[in-house]
């Protein structure tokens, strides 16, 4: 798996946990399936830009925070 996928997944998980949300809650807030959130967090999926934007908005963070 690509290192960037793992890093983005870890960053999303960090911000999700900071909010105190489950993967299901983040999925609801971002209008994405909870299983997809889990796959992203584990670095199994190559997230698209539109979905990355949805997650960033749901978490109220900049996309750069999720990528870097």
């Amino acid at each position: 798996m690509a290192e960037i996928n793992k890093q983005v997944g870890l960053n999303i998980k960090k911000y999700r946990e900071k909010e105190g949300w489950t993967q299901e809650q983040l999925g609801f807030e971002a209008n994405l399936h909870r299983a997809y959130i889990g796959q992203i967090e584990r670095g199994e999926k190559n997230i698209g830009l539109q979905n990355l934007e949805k997650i960033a908005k749901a978490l109220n963070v900049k996309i750069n925070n999720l990528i870097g």
Side-chain angles (χ1 to χ4, degrees):
M1 199 54 52
E3 189 61 35
I4 185 77
N5 292 352
K6 290 180 186 178
Q7 187 59 53
V8 169
L10 289 173
N11 289 340
I12 289 171
K13 183 176 181 178
K14 175 180 76 173
Y15 284 105
R16 174 181 63 78
E17 289 178 341
K18 187 175 180 182
E19 290 292 323
W21 290 352
T22 63
Q23 290 177 350
E24 186 173 13
Q25 181 66 32
L26 176 54
F28 176 79
E29 297 292 336
N31 197 29
L32 298 168
H33 195 278
R34 64 164 179 78
Y36 181 63
I37 298 295
Q39 291 170 329
I40 292 168
E41 287 186 357
R42 291 188 299 274
E44 297 171 356
K45 286 283 185 180
N46 187 12
I47 187 171
L49 292 176
Q50 291 177 337
N51 289 339
L52 186 63
E53 181 180 44
K54 287 180 180 182
I55 291 172
K57 284 183 178 181
L59 293 171
N60 198 31
V61 298
K62 294 182 179 183
I63 290 175
N64 291 351
N65 294 7
L66 301 179
I67 295 173

